[in-house]
Structures are given as C-alpha cells and as structure tokens.
C-alpha cells in the first residue's frame, strides 16, 4: 500500500552521500547536512562555518574534497549528482521514500579508484580491500586489545612531517592534529612565535617560506586508551587480580597492542588514505634531502578519489538481494514496530497486562503490519502492533538494559562453553565501564589543554624532542591477531531464524552462539556522546525547591478561600478566552485547525442504514458533550490524594501563603474555564498534587479516549509544574511523540522541551495550569501526531512524511482504544465515578465500539489509490491487517466489559 505525493519532490540526498557538482564534474564532495536532518535545536554560531546556517527545503551542505583548499558550501539538490552512497552492516534501507517495506544491510563491498596522495597521479583500475596493506595505525574510536582487556583509542599525539614550498621538511608535533597525508594549506604550521618557532628551528632548521604547506607523513606516537572490559571467558577468581592497563601507550609498548577490526574497517571510503600490498608500477614521490635533518621521506600512500558500493540486503519478507548502494536509500525514521528476520522480540498480546512472551521474527509484511514469529517452537502470525522490539514491556529485574538481543555489526564477548551471561534470553547484558578520568574537562579557562590531555601532550612533546638526539623506537601495533588468540571477542554478522547468532571473531575465525553466551560491548566514545546528549535535555525532575512552605491552610467543602495575601499584585491568571494563541513550536506540533472533518471512518457513499447509524451516533455524541450531570464536574477538590498518584510518595511540605494565594486564583479559573473534555482534581491533604483527565479530541486518533496526567507543584509558580503521564501501552510504544512511556510530558511550557521562542517557556507571571492543560489537548493530542516529533514538521507534505504519519496515526488510534480498556479495568483513584459515568452511563463506550468496528469494516473494503489518498487528506485512518488484529483484540475485551456492566446493572 504505497502512497505517493505529487506536491513535493522526494528527498534525493542523505548524510555521507558522495556527490558531484553537475556544472563542474571534477568537484567531488561529501554531504554533511541535509534539509530533512533531525536538527531540532537552533544551530549555534552559524557565521563561523558556511555549512551552519539553517537549510531551506531542498538544500544540502557539502564538503568538497577536490578543491585546492577545503570548500564547504550549501547547494540545492538540483545542482548535485549522486555518485555513491555510504552504507555499513546494520543500516536499514528502503527502495524509495514512499515504500513501507525495508531491509537490513548484512554486508557491504566497496571498490575504489586511487590517486597518489601527493602527486595526484591516478592508479589504473579499481581496487578492493583485497589489494590493501592490512597494516595500519589505530585511529580514534578503534578498539585495541592488550592481554585480556579491550579498550578504545580516545586521543592521539602525532608527529607530522610537513613540506614547505622550499622543499624543506618540518616535523610538527601536535596533540590530535587530525591531518591527512596530502593535505595542503598555508596554515598547517603554527605561527612563528615563541616556543613553537623555537621547537621547529631546533628540530629541522630555520628555512621557512610562505605558501602552501603539504602533509607528507603522519605518525601516531602516543595513544590514550580507555580500557573498557575484560575477557569474559576468564574464571571469576581471576577477575579481581586483573588491573586496568596503563592509559598512555608509546614507544616499544605500542607493539603489545592488537587492533580489533570489524568488516567495515576493511572497506575504503572516499578521502581516506590507504596503502597497497603491491606498490610495483604505482606512483611514488620522494621528499627532503639526505644531508638535512629529516632525511628523505618516501610517500607511497594513496587517497581514495572515487568509490562504488554494493550491499547485501535482508528484506523484511526474508528475501535477500545484492544491490548498488545508489539504488536504495537509508531508512531515516524507522517505525518503532519495524523489525527484521532474526530479531528477538516480545509478543505482548495487545497489552492489558498480558505476559510478554519472547519470540524470534521470521518474516514481516510491512504493508499489512503483520509478522510471523517463532513462539514456543511454533510459527505464528501476529500484528506488529503487538510486538515489542525494545524490551519496554519486560518487567524483569534487568528491564533497564536497553534493547533485546543484539544487532548486526555489534561487538560482543563470548562466554566459555557451559557458561552464560546471567540473563534470561532474549535480554543480554552490556558491559564497558568508562573510567571517570575520560570524562574530565579537556580545557582550562584560558583555553589550554588540561588534565590527562596535558599529560598526553607532555609525553608526546618529550618524545619529539628526544628524537633529535637519539633513536626512538616506535612500536608498530599489530593489525591482525594470531589464530585462536581472540576467539573470546567478535562482531555479530547475522541473526538466524532459530534465534542463534553468527559471530566473526577478532582473530578471523567464526562461530555460532545462543544469546545466553554473549555479552555486548558498550563503547566508551558512544557513552560520552550519549551523556552529552542527555545533559542537553531538560529533566522533569530538575525542580529544586526554593524556600519553605510555612502557611497553614484549609479548604472548604464548597468554595475556595482566598488567603488574603496576593502572590504578585501585577500577576493575572488568564481564563480560557484570555489564553494566548497556542504556538505550533510549543510542542513541536501544528495547532489543530477548525475545518470540520467527518468522524471516523469515511469511505464509500453512505447507505440509508449508515445514515441512520450516523444520526444515532450524533445523538450519542450530543449526550456526551452536554455532560449536564453531577457525575461530571470539571473541577473538584477531594479530601485526600489517591495512593496511585505518581507523586503520592513525595514528601508533603507546608504550603506558603503566597503559594496558596496563587493556587486559589488558579483554581477559580479552572472552575470556570476548563474545556468540557478536561477534568481536574485537587486534594485537601496535598495542595501540591493535582490529577487531570483529558478526553481525546474529536477527529484525532485519540478521539473519546482517556489520558490521565498527574502534576506536582514544586516551587510553584517559580518553576513549571512537574507532569507525569500515565502511559497504558504496556510496552507497545509511545502513543504520542510528546508523551513518553516512562511518564515524561515533552512540552515547552513545562520546560521539558527547549523552546525556540522564549515566550513559549514557563513564566511565573503569565503561565498557568490551565494553559498547560489546554496546550496538551490542543498541541499534543492532534490529528497527525507523527509531526509532533521536533524534527519531523519539516517533512509535512513530503512522501516520507505522509507514509510515516499514516503509520503513526494507526498506531496511536489502536493504542488509545486500549487506554479505554485499561482505564475501565482499573480506574484511576478519584476518577472512578466519572470514568464509569462517562463510558457506561453516558454510553461513550458504545460509541467507541461502534466507531472502531465501522473503521475495521471500511478498512476491509477494496479502494482505489485515489480514494485512499482522499481519506488521508481528510485525516481518516485506514487500518492495516496488523492494525485490525490488534484492535479487534481490544474491542473483544471492551465488549466483555460492556456486557459485564449491563448484567450488573
């Protein structure tokens, strides 16, 4: 069921694509930024880099490799031609942006054209990894092994040899230079001032001229290595005696290290410098003079000037295919239910407290959103919407470990025969402890390197200085392990349908293992990146209390009592009519428009029977909307907070006079201005707690479904209220991008999302509880919730946006019907009377059942693509087979609840 859009052209380029200017074919570059990238925060200091300004639709930022100097510019996609696409094992790909069927990259093979790094003379023919010299230096991010330890290179000290225009060679010792052989610039060498100039003169003489300088050779003389984990085949008694190896490695010690390389490391990438096994007949250059201090340096290094990549793809239906990388595209925004053959998942049977059952995916029908999985030895067809591929539904003690099983391309430890990892499959542990020293700040306030980087630089500079007067023996890192020496470590290369995994060991051998014998390696640099990302996000727990609540208070049973003391004489709490217009970026979603749209579903012309049913449905809806019943009071103060309130266990503090004054006025507004579909409950014994119930708005996937959010007023109103969303998905995934399964509500006004406009954040003088509630109703529970994700709004109207939004809306619809089920099975404290009245007495449950069954019937009808397009334009959900399977399971449970209630009445 592919949907195309004639409105906007499809995305053409992605990050790391190799492109060529159509007007100047010799200009080859790498795409570094795309207009559709998930850049959800403003770009800092855009003037410092020509690529860093905001991109318009259809623009990409490219770094060109064939210019005399680095040239970076932003161009229209129409000005570029795709030459090659960079892929790696474990990537997810599709045939086209409007295709819902995807595949997993199993392996890649690259052939390349080479040119001499200095002379730029081309090497004839294409070269592959088989032609390369396997001996290489370790680079930042590479894994290395010493005895029973595996570590990761996190920094380097280099000694670079630079040729100046006079032909003289200059040795440049530098911390993390990031230079490459053949690189030319007028600014490679530092300015001739102070100690730096003295060092250069001392090493290689004083003949300095202006003009282009060229990097002739690079030698990594010192490695900083973060040691992460031990060989898991060791006996437990040996672990305690295994001390972490040294941080810094240089001189002869480097030869004690073994480089751990995965399959991707053997493939060439454009711009990379390589060496060939056989240099016979290939270009070579000589630099320097025998009589000078630097002697003669021979350069037989080559730069990769062009590549062609082919990939082995495992498609979701189980078929395998080898394709050119330019004939497929990266799948940038995988659906959370996407999975592929061999993946370990949990089957959760539609939620509702059903036990999670581990299984292995056999095939996936992405169009109908169904999968065949191996469950208890049997192959069964299930809905994708009832699968958990992340482990969120698992309630085991190890559920905090992210993900299930392993992915292709991951590095794993193998436990000894007869031993296991201590976890129950399909979960396996992840190890790799990053020492505190790695996280230290790299610079002082004056901009100089500090801490361990300063120590690394000191070691490197000392070696460079001593090299003038004595022979320094630089060891060579081992690029290949001896057979049988590193069979305790390897790369996952494939996942079998029976649940076993194929692993390529670090010594070149291979093996097949059960999950229980594997443990994943957690990379140190990946941990640093994750910590940096997490530190940049707001936290719902970051609400320190400023001051002490010291005022006695009392709530009357029928009315609110003003304390008499005003919080702020100039502060006014707006009612519903005074609320500012909701900004689309407040929740990174577009505000709902007011164009009338018919209720779900819409398909063929209406028959007389359908017309009668709709009239009866409208009568039911009218009865629901009126809600003129004592069982539906929008605002009420109860005597005590329920025990199931998310913040019930927090310490109750004595509220201050100012706090109560502000709360009095807010509550008066809530009594008079709450929308009819929002209930709020406050408590006499806990003035700092609130519970809200929002009924999903009409003409959205959330229509008629209950959403309960608990609030904690910490340091209120100086700080935004802390919200906790009661997700009832049971691990089925988020019902909305802004409503997390763990309870976070991502919204600018709550300071849980960084607003681009400062007036969207919480402001004690003008923000209110009513505004927060209305923002959730109007900006989160919307018709097309996929676009609530910050980076996806820019894809509105595109083919990929249309497809992904449709899939997400279906999920949101199915999951939110289950919210009705779980809320009726276990009503929230303080809302049980209202819930029962709304869904049973006021017949909303009957309406939910009727609408859902009508939607299923409409979805089963055969429609033309034009009719389906029309439905999508009108925000009408059309269910896949998998969606119907999951929804029907929920409807059966809802019908049982309705029948049971009818009998009891």
């Amino acid at each position: 069921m592919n949907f195309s859009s004639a409105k906007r052209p499809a995305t053409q380029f992605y990050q790391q694509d190799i492109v060529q200017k159509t007007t100047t074919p010799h200009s080859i570059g790498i795409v570094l930024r795309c207009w559709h990238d998930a850049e959800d925060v403003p770009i800092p200091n855009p003037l410092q880099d020509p690529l860093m300004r905001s991109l318009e639709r259809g623009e990409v930022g490219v770094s060109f490799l064939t210019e005399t100097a680095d040239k970076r510019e932003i161009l229209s996609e129409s000005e570029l031609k795709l030459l090659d696409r960079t892929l790696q094992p474990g990537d997810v790909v599709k045939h086209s942006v409007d295709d819902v069927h995807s595949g997993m990259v199993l392996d890649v093979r690259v052939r390349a054209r080479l040119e001499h790094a200095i002379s730029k003379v081309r090497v004839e023919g294409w070269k592959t990894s088989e032609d390369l010299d396997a001996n290489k230096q370790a680079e930042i991010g590479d894994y290395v092994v010493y005895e029973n330890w595996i570590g990761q290179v996190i920094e380097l000290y280099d000694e670079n040899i630079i040729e100046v225009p006079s032909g003289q060679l200059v040795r440049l010792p530098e911390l993390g230079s990031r230079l490459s052989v053949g690189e030319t610039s007028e600014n490679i060498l530092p300015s001739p001032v102070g100690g730096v100039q003295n060092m250069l003169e001392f090493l290689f003489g004083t003949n300095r001229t202006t003009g282009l300088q060229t990097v002739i050779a690079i030698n990594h003389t010192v490695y900083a290595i973060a040691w992460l984990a031990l060989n898991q085949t060791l006996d437990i008694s040996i672990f305690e005696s295994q001390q972490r190896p040294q941080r810094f490695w240089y001189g002869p010690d480097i030869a004690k290290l073994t480089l751990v390389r995965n399959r991707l490391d053997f493939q060439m990438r454009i711009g990379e410098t390589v060496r060939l096994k056989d240099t016979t007949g290939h270009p070579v250059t000589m630099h320097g003079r025998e009589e000078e201090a630097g002697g003669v340096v021979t350069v037989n290094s080559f730069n990769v000037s062009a590549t062609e990549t082919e990939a082995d793809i495992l498609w979701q239906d189980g078929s395998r295919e080898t394709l050119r990388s330019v004939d497929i595209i990266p799948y940038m925004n995988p659906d959370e239910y996407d999975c592929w053959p061999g993946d370990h998942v949990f089957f959760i049977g539609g939620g509702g407290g059903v036990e999670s059952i581990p299984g292995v995916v056999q095939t996936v029908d992405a169009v109908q959103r169904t999968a065949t999985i191996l469950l208890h030895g049997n192959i069964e067809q299930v809905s994708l919407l009832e699968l958990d591929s992340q482990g969120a539904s698992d309630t085991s003690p190890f559920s905090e470990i992210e993900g299930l099983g392993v992915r292709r391309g991951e590095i794993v430890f193998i436990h000894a025969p007869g031993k296991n990892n201590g976890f129950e499959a399909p979960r396996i542990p992840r190890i790799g402890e990053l020492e505190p020293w790695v996280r230290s700040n790299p610079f002082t306030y004056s901009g100089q390197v500090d801490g361990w980087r300063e120590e690394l630089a000191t070691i490197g500079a000392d070696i460079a200085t001593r090299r003038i007067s004595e022979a320094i023996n630089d060891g060579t890192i081992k690029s290949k392990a001896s057979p049988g020496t590193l069979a305790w470590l390897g790369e996952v290369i494939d996942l079998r349908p029976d649940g076993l995994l194929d692993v390529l060991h670090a010594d070149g051998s291979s093996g097949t293992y059960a999950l229980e014998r594997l443990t994943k390696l957690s990379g140190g640099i990946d941990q640093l990146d994750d910590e940096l990302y997490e530190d940049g996000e707001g936290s719902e727990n970051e609400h320190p209390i400023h001051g002490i609540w010291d005022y006695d208070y009392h709530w009357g049973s029928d009315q609110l009592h003003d304390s008499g003391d005003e919080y702020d004489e100039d502060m006014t709490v707006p009612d519903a009519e005074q609320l500012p217009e909701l900004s689309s970026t407040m929740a990174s979603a577009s505000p709902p428009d007011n164009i009338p749209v018919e209720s779900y579903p819409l398909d063929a012309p209406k028959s007389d029977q359908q017309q009668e049913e709709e009239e009866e449905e409208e009568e039911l809806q009218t009865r629901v909307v009126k809600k003129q019943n004592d069982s539906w009071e929008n605002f009420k103060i109860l005597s005590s907070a329920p025990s199931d309130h998310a913040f019930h266990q927090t310490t109750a503090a004595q509220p201050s006079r100012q706090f109560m004054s502000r709360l009095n006025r807010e509550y008066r507004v809530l009594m008079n201005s709450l929308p009819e579909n929002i209930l709020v409950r406050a408590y006499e014994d806990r003035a700092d707690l609130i519970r809200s119930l929002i009924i999903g708005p009409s003409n959205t996937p959330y229509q008629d479904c209950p959403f309960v959010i608990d609030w904690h007023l910490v340091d209120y109103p100086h700080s935004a209220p802390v919200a906790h969303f009661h997700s009832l998905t049971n691990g089925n995934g988020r019902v909305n991008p802004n409503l997390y399964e763990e309870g976070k509500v991502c919204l600018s006004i709550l300071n849980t999302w960084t607003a681009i406009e400062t007036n969207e954040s919480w402001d004690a003088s003008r923000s209110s509880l009513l505004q927060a509630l209305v923002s959730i109703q109007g900006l989160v529970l919307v018709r097309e919730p996929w676009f609530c994700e910050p980076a996806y709004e820019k894809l509105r109207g595109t083919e990929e946006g249309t497809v992904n939004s449709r899939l997400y809306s279906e999920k949101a619809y199915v999951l939110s019907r289950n919210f009705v089920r779980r809320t009726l099975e276990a009503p929230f404290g303080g809302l049980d009377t209202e819930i029962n009245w709304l869904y049973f007495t006021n017949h909303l449950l009957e309406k939910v059942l009727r609408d859902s069954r009508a939607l299923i019937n409409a979805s089963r009808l055969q429609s033309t693509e034009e009719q389906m397009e029309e439905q999508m334009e009108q925000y009408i959900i059309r269910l896949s087979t998998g969606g119907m399977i999951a929804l029907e399971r929920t409807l059966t449970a809802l019908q049982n609840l309705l029948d049971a209630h009818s009998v009891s009445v």
Side-chain angles (χ1 to χ4, degrees):
M1 198 189 313
N2 295 340
F3 297 98
S4 60
S5 172
K7 293 181 178 180
R8 306 257 171 80
T11 299
Q12 298 181 46
F13 300 108
Y14 299 85
Q15 287 188 20
Q16 299 303 308
D17 279 355
I18 312 303
V19 295
Q20 175 188 69
K21 273 188 182 180
T22 54
T23 55
T24 52
H26 69 279
S27 295
I28 310 299
I30 302 176
V31 176
L32 299 184
R33 290 184 62 213
C34 303
W35 66 269
H36 53 80
D37 288 343
E39 297 169 350
D40 47 21
V41 294
I43 302 298
N45 303 320
L47 298 180
Q48 294 183 3
D49 188 322
L51 292 191
M52 285 298 102
R53 73 162 171 82
S54 297
L55 300 182
E56 301 295 330
R57 186 182 291 268
E59 289 186 331
V60 294
V62 182
S63 177
F64 288 97
L65 305 174
T66 51
E67 306 291 340
T68 55
D70 285 342
K71 185 175 181 181
R72 299 152 69 86
E73 62 179 311
I74 292 174
L75 299 168
S76 168
E77 289 181 316
S78 62
E79 300 178 67
L80 300 168
K81 175 185 177 181
L82 177 64
L83 298 181
D84 197 21
R85 176 155 283 152
T86 304
L87 297 173
Q88 63 184 38
D91 282 350
V92 185
V93 297
K94 299 168 68 173
H95 284 296
S96 62
V97 294
D98 60 345
D99 191 2
V100 297
H101 188 63
S102 63
M104 179 72 65
V105 176
L106 299 179
D107 198 6
V108 296
R109 287 169 298 281
V110 181
R111 67 174 190 167
R113 293 196 181 275
L114 306 179
E115 62 181 23
H116 191 268
I118 306 298
S119 68
K120 307 304 178 186
V121 175
R122 294 183 178 179
V123 175
E124 293 297 324
W126 292 92
K127 301 297 179 182
T128 70
S129 60
E130 298 297 323
D131 300 310
L132 300 184
D133 182 356
N135 296 315
K136 58 171 286 189
Q137 300 184 90
E139 305 295 339
I140 291 177
D142 283 345
Y143 291 109
V144 294
V145 168
Y146 172 67
E147 295 183 345
N148 286 306
W149 283 92
I150 182 170
Q152 191 171 30
V153 178
I154 58 172
E155 189 55 275
L156 302 166
Y157 193 90
D158 296 332
E159 286 187 25
N160 309 303
I161 298 179
I162 313 299
E163 184 179 55
V164 297
S166 65
Q168 185 181 21
L169 301 184
V170 178
R171 188 182 301 275
L172 175 63
E174 193 170 30
L175 174 66
S177 65
R178 313 296 196 267
L179 296 173
S180 59
V181 175
E183 184 174 340
T184 60
S185 172
E186 294 183 354
N187 303 309
I188 293 177
L189 294 175
S191 301
V193 293
V196 173
Q197 174 64 15
N198 292 336
M199 171 68 77
L200 293 173
E201 293 176 355
F202 185 57
L203 293 177
F204 272 67
T206 60
N207 187 10
R208 295 286 308 282
T209 59
T210 60
L212 288 178
Q213 303 148 16
T214 304
V215 180
I216 300 301
I218 298 173
N219 183 33
H220 303 324
T221 58
V222 189
Y223 292 89
I225 300 175
W227 296 101
L228 301 171
L230 272 166
N231 177 356
Q232 297 297 294
T233 64
L234 297 177
D235 189 89
I236 190 68
S237 61
I238 303 178
F239 267 73
E240 296 181 358
S241 62
Q242 298 292 308
Q243 298 295 320
R244 265 189 169 85
Q246 63 209 47
R247 300 178 188 176
F248 306 118
W249 291 73
Y250 51 91
D253 283 350
I254 294 178
K256 301 175 183 178
L257 301 174
T258 301
L259 182 62
V260 176
R261 306 177 67 185
N262 58 26
R263 292 172 297 164
L264 187 63
D265 291 333
F266 291 94
Q267 304 302 332
M268 292 171 282
R269 294 193 175 189
I270 196 163
E272 183 183 12
T273 301
V274 299
R275 297 168 65 93
L276 294 171
K277 290 179 183 176
D278 183 5
T279 60
T280 305
H282 294 313
V284 63
T285 57
M286 313 288 286
H287 305 266
R289 304 177 181 90
E290 290 289 353
E291 66 274 12
E292 293 181 350
V296 175
V297 176
T298 301
V299 178
N300 53 11
S301 298
F302 301 88
N303 290 339
V304 178
S305 59
T307 58
E308 287 187 356
T309 303
E310 67 175 14
D312 297 333
I313 312 297
L314 172 64
W315 296 105
Q316 287 178 300
D317 63 4
S319 62
R320 299 188 180 219
E321 190 175 13
T322 298
L323 295 170
R324 297 189 308 158
S325 65
V326 294
D327 293 331
I328 48 184
I329 65 169
Y331 186 8
M332 301 304 297
N333 305 302
D335 184 81
E336 60 190 308
Y337 298 109
D338 274 320
C339 48
W340 297 268
D343 281 357
H344 289 261
V345 297
F346 279 127
F347 172 64
I348 50 182
V354 178
E355 179 185 1
S356 299
I357 305 172
V360 180
V361 176
Q362 307 296 296
T363 62
V364 175
D365 183 340
V367 174
Q368 293 302 327
R369 302 188 93 176
T370 60
T372 57
I373 60 175
L374 179 65
L375 288 174
H376 295 315
N378 299 315
I379 305 295
E380 299 186 22
Q381 184 183 44
V382 300
S383 166
L384 284 181
L385 301 184
E386 296 179 325
L387 291 184
D388 169 20
S389 61
Q390 304 299 321
S393 63
D394 190 19
T395 57
S396 72
F398 306 113
S399 59
E400 73 278 1
I401 304 297
E402 182 181 356
L404 301 176
V406 294
R407 300 288 183 260
R408 296 166 180 87
E410 289 188 315
I411 303 298
V412 294
F413 297 95
I414 295 95
H415 293 263
K419 304 291 184 179
N420 59 55
N421 56 33
F423 279 52
E424 183 177 350
R427 291 198 173 276
I428 71 172
R430 180 187 293 272
I431 61 173
E433 182 184 358
L434 196 61
E435 295 176 281
W437 66 269
V438 181
R439 299 183 172 90
S440 64
N441 193 326
F443 301 106
T444 64
Y445 288 109
S446 61
Q448 301 298 314
V449 291
D450 194 19
W452 62 266
R453 290 174 179 84
E454 181 181 22
E455 185 178 353
L456 172 65
T458 300
I459 295 172
D462 177 66
I463 293 174
T465 303
R466 289 192 294 113
R467 198 182 302 277
I468 301 168
S469 57
E470 61 181 284
I472 302 294
N473 179 18
D474 291 322
T476 302
I477 195 168
K478 292 191 286 288
S479 293
K480 185 176 181 181
S482 302
T485 59
L486 287 181
W488 51 270
L489 185 72
E491 175 192 359
V492 177
I493 58 175
D494 207 358
L495 311 180
R496 297 190 175 190
D498 59 1
L500 299 177
L501 303 96
D502 293 329
V503 177
L504 178 64
H505 300 143
D507 60 9
S509 60
S510 60
T512 301
Y513 304 96
L515 273 178
E516 292 87 343
R517 283 191 61 191
L518 302 180
T519 291
K520 288 187 283 190
L521 173 64
S522 180
I525 290 179
D526 291 339
Q527 291 181 51
L528 288 176
D529 291 341
D530 291 343
E531 290 168 9
L532 179 63
Y533 175 77
E534 290 170 2
D535 290 343
E537 285 196 349
S539 170
E540 63 184 59
N541 297 318
E542 293 174 358
H543 293 268
I545 298 177
H546 306 295
I548 302 174
W549 292 356
D550 55 5
Y551 180 67
D552 292 330
Y553 69 97
H554 173 73
W555 290 110
S557 58
D558 298 318
Q559 61 181 346
L560 296 174
H561 297 281
D562 197 336
S563 67
D565 286 330
E566 297 295 321
Y567 165 75
D568 185 342
E569 292 293 343
D570 297 326
M571 187 272 168
T572 58
V573 179
D575 59 22
E577 295 181 356
Q578 296 172 322
L579 286 176
E581 182 178 353
L582 298 176
S583 168
S584 63
T585 56
M586 186 177 297
S588 301
S590 293
D593 56 49
N594 295 318
I595 301 174
V597 180
E598 295 184 50
S599 299
Y600 298 103
L602 178 67
D603 206 301
K606 305 177 181 66
S607 64
D608 292 342
Q609 180 181 355
Q610 288 174 319
Q611 190 68 36
E612 292 176 3
E613 289 177 351
E614 287 193 6
E615 290 174 358
E616 184 176 348
E617 180 181 308
E618 289 177 4
E619 180 182 353
L620 275 175
Q621 181 65 30
T622 301
R623 292 163 63 186
V624 170
V625 169
K626 286 183 178 178
K627 297 186 181 73
Q628 295 175 351
N629 188 293
D630 291 340
S631 297
W632 190 266
E633 293 184 45
N634 290 90
F635 181 82
K636 186 186 295 185
I637 300 173
L638 305 179
S639 60
S640 60
S643 59
D644 63 351
H645 194 287
F647 303 103
H648 187 267
Q649 298 302 317
T650 60
T651 302
Q654 187 70 20
S656 69
R657 180 181 308 168
Q658 291 83 1
F659 171 82
M660 294 308 301
S661 177
R662 170 63 178 262
L663 214 55
N664 270 324
R665 280 178 290 161
E666 292 239 23
Y667 283 179
R668 281 197 294 272
V669 171
L670 292 175
M671 293 178 85
N672 298 314
S673 302
L674 274 172
E676 58 191 6
N677 288 336
I678 298 179
L679 295 188
V680 172
R681 295 295 178 258
Y683 311 102
E684 291 184 9
D685 67 333
R686 290 294 300 271
D688 60 324
L689 303 185
I690 293 173
R691 168 163 284 177
S692 61
L693 168 66
I694 302 175
I695 302 301
S698 298
N699 302 315
T700 72
Y702 309 108
Q703 179 172 311
D704 300 330
C705 297
F707 296 85
V708 175
I709 299 175
D710 286 342
W711 304 82
H712 192 194
L713 308 183
V714 183
D715 192 28
Y716 189 82
H718 298 292
S719 298
V722 185
H724 178 90
F725 167 63
H726 286 275
S727 177
L728 303 179
T729 62
N730 194 39
N732 275 89
R734 291 189 211 172
V735 74
N736 182 282
N738 296 91
L739 303 176
Y740 289 56
E741 288 190 84
E742 66 269 23
K744 180 179 179 180
V745 178
C746 191
L747 201 64
S748 296
I749 195 174
L750 302 181
N751 293 334
T752 49
W753 167 250
T754 303
I756 297 177
E757 299 292 338
T758 56
N759 61 3
E760 295 172 359
S761 301
W762 181 264
D763 186 321
S765 65
R766 61 181 178 82
S767 303
S768 67
L769 292 170
L770 176 61
Q771 188 175 6
L773 291 165
V774 173
S775 295
I776 294 172
Q777 184 186 52
L779 294 175
V780 175
L781 302 177
V782 294
R783 290 176 182 167
E784 294 182 288
W786 188 77
F787 295 109
C788 289
E789 192 68 44
Y792 296 165
E793 176 62 30
K794 66 179 74 173
L795 296 176
R796 189 181 290 275
T798 64
E799 292 176 340
E800 53 262 61
T802 299
V803 170
N804 287 320
S805 178
R806 176 179 62 83
L807 294 174
Y808 200 99
S809 292
E810 178 188 38
K811 175 195 76 167
Y813 184 89
V814 173
L815 290 184
S816 57
R817 302 313 103 177
N818 199 55
F819 275 41
V820 179
R821 168 191 176 181
R822 297 193 64 190
T823 301
L824 291 175
E825 290 175 340
F828 289 91
L831 294 175
D832 47 345
T833 300
E834 291 83 353
I835 291 293
N836 286 326
W837 177 85
L838 177 63
Y839 285 98
F840 292 125
T841 307
N842 209 41
H843 308 287
L844 187 58
L845 179 54
E846 296 176 31
K847 180 177 182 299
V848 169
L849 287 166
R850 177 176 298 177
D851 284 351
S852 298
R853 286 166 177 160
L855 175 58
I856 290 174
N857 291 334
S859 298
R860 285 176 173 152
L861 296 176
Q862 296 296 321
S863 301
T864 65
E865 184 170 320
E866 181 179 351
Q867 289 173 322
M868 289 186 285
E869 287 275 6
E870 181 180 353
Q871 291 178 0
M872 292 175 60
E873 288 293 327
Q874 297 176 352
Y875 302 96
I876 301 303
I877 294 171
R878 186 179 184 87
L879 296 174
S880 64
T881 299
M884 286 187 276
I885 292 173
L887 181 57
E888 285 178 326
R889 194 188 307 275
T890 298
L891 296 184
T892 299
L894 289 176
Q895 185 65 56
N896 292 337
L897 289 169
L898 181 61
D899 293 343
H901 180 268
S902 299
V903 171
S904 65
V905 172

